[in-house]
Amino acid sequence: MNGSSLVARDRAHLWHPYAPPVAPLLWPVVSAEGVRLKLADGRELIDGMSSWWCAIHGYNNPVLNAAIEEQAGRMAHVMFGGLTHEPAVTLAEKLAAITPTGLERVFLADSGSVSVEVALKLAIQYWRSRGESRSRFLTVRGGYHGDTFGAMSVCDPVTGMHTLFQGFLPRQLFAPRPPCRFGEPCGDVDFASMEALARRHADEIAAVILEPVVQGAGGMYFYSPEYLQRLRALCDELGLLLIFDEIATGFGRTGRLFASEWAGISPDILCLGKALTGGYMTLAATLTTREIAETIGNGEPGVFMHGPTFMGNPLACAVANASIDLLLGSPWQARIQAIEAGLEAGLAPCRELPGVAEVRVLGAIGVVEMEKPVVMEKLQPALVEAGVWVRPFGRLVYLMPPYIIDEESLAVLCKAVVRVLSGKA
Ligand SMILES: *Cc1c(COP(=O)(O)O)cnc(C)c1O
């Protein structure tokens, strides 16, 4: 297969994520198997990204392939308005059973960003149904919740480029990034700004939204679960809804099935996505409580005002069901622990390298934070030359491999990062 002509054809027509329209750096990939991506020129790269948190079981998994094929033979899609089907019902039951307690009502959306929009709309409609017009959201800096406008409005104002869309974005309330790190206690001072903002604006806030424990694309930052316990108590006291965005952290990535479990609390609304289908199809879910659902049902207009064309897509639901079964039937905790140890040992040498600000690991997430933004035009080709697929952004070079990665491949992955960052590659 001619890879360079494919790149030329791509560049003539396609956009890529957060990429310039002219000549983005691209590597044509022809297939993927296990933890390896195969490039058009025959090279194989060890995958350090899980295709952005998604491909937890690796690629070309026979069980997931079979789930899709079987469902495709029955029906690929039917509208969800007025119709229902086994894959969607089973998925809702599974999600209600495995997520933190109290979350029973499942909205199936087509992407993470849409599930965040749904979460925000649920919160607003909940208050409308109670006769209150609350439409502001409180969050923390450093967050990432997606690329649609509602989601963008609660992303970090700087990394989320709020100035670019000024005049169109709703203006939300931002507390500082939780200062208490993961593994540390969260004291009064760490929570003071959040508490003050919440109290001052309590009667206009529809909900507080954040990513529990791990902030992903906003900085790969790990913070104390105690912060979340305090926040849950404060929301209860003030009568505010709490939304957790576990689109990145869900399905085991942090070492717990859901990051909320580190704090032992439940949000009122929960967003899931990314690893939900094991990286096979785009699907997301917004879960909420019976009380919120019933309140919306009892209000005006008595229905929830959202309904994507591909809501509950049977193919996506079927592969999500297979992926969840595969995950829960696997020794995933032991695997994540082994990856955590491998990342810790493998990335430790980065601490000695010039230009490295910090190395941190939690679960199957390993982060090397640099002092300055990396030069992608140099770093990305060097990583590919070193035989790994790692996609840094900003000051962050990070690894979140598929859970099935073996010890040796993980060591190779880490060594490649160390070598490239030391400038020796
Ligand atoms: C990726 C991500 C989203 C957006 O999901 P998309 O499927 O890309 O729309 C939202 N929140 C978090 C925490 C994410 O990591």
Side-chain angles (χ1 to χ4, degrees):
M1 196 189 129
N2 189 333
S4 54
S5 87
L6 192 68
V7 170
R9 283 164 56 204
D10 176 296
R11 284 176 174 170
H13 295 290
L14 284 167
W15 293 96
H16 282 265
Y18 296 99
V22 180
L25 269 180
L26 296 171
W27 285 267
V29 54
V30 289
S31 62
E33 172 87 36
V35 295
R36 284 175 171 75
L37 307 181
K38 190 166 182 190
L39 300 185
D41 62 11
R43 280 183 295 176
E44 288 196 343
L45 307 181
I46 297 175
D47 175 36
M49 303 305 297
S50 300
S51 286
W52 280 337
W53 315 85
C54 298
I56 54 176
H57 309 293
Y59 302 88
N60 210 0
N61 181 287
V63 176
L64 302 187
N65 289 358
I68 292 235
E69 280 160 21
E70 202 199 319
Q71 185 56 44
R74 236 191 299 271
M75 67 183 164
H77 184 67
V78 290
M79 63 186 281
F80 212 49
L83 296 172
T84 191
H85 46 76
E86 180 71 37
V89 174
T90 301
L91 180 58
E93 288 170 350
K94 274 190 211 299
L95 292 178
I98 65 174
T99 51
T101 47
L103 300 165
E104 295 178 17
R105 186 59 68 147
V106 183
F107 189 102
L108 296 169
D110 22 23
S111 76
S113 301
V114 173
S115 79
V116 171
E117 300 293 328
V118 165
L120 304 179
K121 284 171 85 171
L122 279 169
I124 289 171
Q125 261 199 259
Y126 169 82
W127 289 108
R128 293 281 145 121
S129 301
R130 293 184 43 161
E132 289 192 44
S133 69
R134 297 174 179 230
S135 54
R136 277 193 110 182
F137 292 88
L138 170 59
T139 184
V140 292
R141 289 182 181 266
Y144 176 76
H145 297 284
D147 294 348
T148 52
F149 280 103
M152 249 200 311
S153 77
V154 286
C155 288
D156 183 83
V158 178
T159 59
M161 291 278 172
H162 282 195
T163 46
L164 195 57
F165 300 100
Q166 216 169 12
F168 193 79
L169 276 187
R171 296 184 49 150
Q172 314 294 13
L173 300 161
F174 291 88
R177 194 166 77 164
C180 36
R181 296 292 195 106
F182 187 86
E184 293 173 1
C186 175
D188 290 343
V189 280
D190 297 315
F191 194 65
S193 303
M194 169 57 90
E195 175 159 5
L197 267 175
R199 288 193 189 282
R200 191 173 332 129
H201 297 277
D203 52 8
E204 52 169 328
I205 293 171
V208 183
I209 177 168
L210 38 64
E211 298 153 277
V213 181
V214 174
Q215 291 187 311
M220 305 297 287
Y221 175 77
F222 313 147
Y223 65 92
S224 173
E226 285 185 22
Y227 186 94
L228 300 169
Q229 292 167 346
R230 283 177 172 260
L231 185 58
R232 178 72 272 181
L234 183 66
C235 286
D236 288 344
E237 183 201 324
L238 300 176
L240 304 179
L241 297 180
L242 181 58
I243 304 171
F244 279 174
D245 176 350
E246 292 228 32
I247 291 167
T249 53
F251 303 100
R253 183 57 66 178
T254 68
R256 298 286 163 93
L257 197 53
F258 297 97
S260 325
E261 293 173 21
W262 286 107
I265 53 165
S266 294
D268 302 296
I269 300 174
L270 175 71
C271 297
L272 300 175
K274 292 206 160 104
L276 174 59
T277 64
Y280 267 59
M281 309 257 318
T282 176
L283 182 69
T286 311
L287 281 80
T288 190
T289 60
R290 182 186 305 238
E291 194 238 326
I292 290 177
E294 282 173 359
T295 304
I296 289 172
N298 291 333
E300 273 299 314
V303 297
F304 178 54
M305 294 303 286
H306 206 93
T309 306
F310 282 92
M311 189 166 180
N313 175 255
L315 284 176
C317 291
V319 74
N321 285 325
S323 176
I324 293 169
D325 290 349
L326 200 57
L327 178 67
L328 298 182
S330 74
W332 63 270
Q333 289 106 324
R335 282 181 178 164
I336 305 283
Q337 268 170 27
I339 294 171
E340 183 169 44
L343 288 170
E344 190 52 65
L347 294 177
C350 291
R351 294 201 171 95
E352 313 306 322
L353 298 178
V356 170
E358 190 178 82
V359 177
R360 48 184 183 267
V361 174
L362 176 63
I365 313 168
V367 184
V368 182
E369 183 166 336
M370 308 299 290
E371 282 156 4
K372 297 200 199 96
V374 301
V375 183
M376 279 294 271
E377 295 72 20
K378 277 172 65 181
L379 201 58
Q380 184 90 76
L383 288 160
V384 171
E385 282 305 313
V388 297
W389 182 244
V390 178
R391 188 154 176 86
F393 71 89
R395 294 188 296 115
L396 303 169
V397 182
Y398 63 101
L399 299 176
M400 37 195 200
Y403 301 167
I404 58 155
I405 196 165
D406 57 286
E407 206 179 323
E408 196 194 322
S409 301
L410 184 58
V412 172
L413 196 54
C414 293
K415 276 196 195 110
V417 169
V418 175
R419 209 164 61 238
V420 168
L421 290 183
S422 67
K424 291 200 192 97

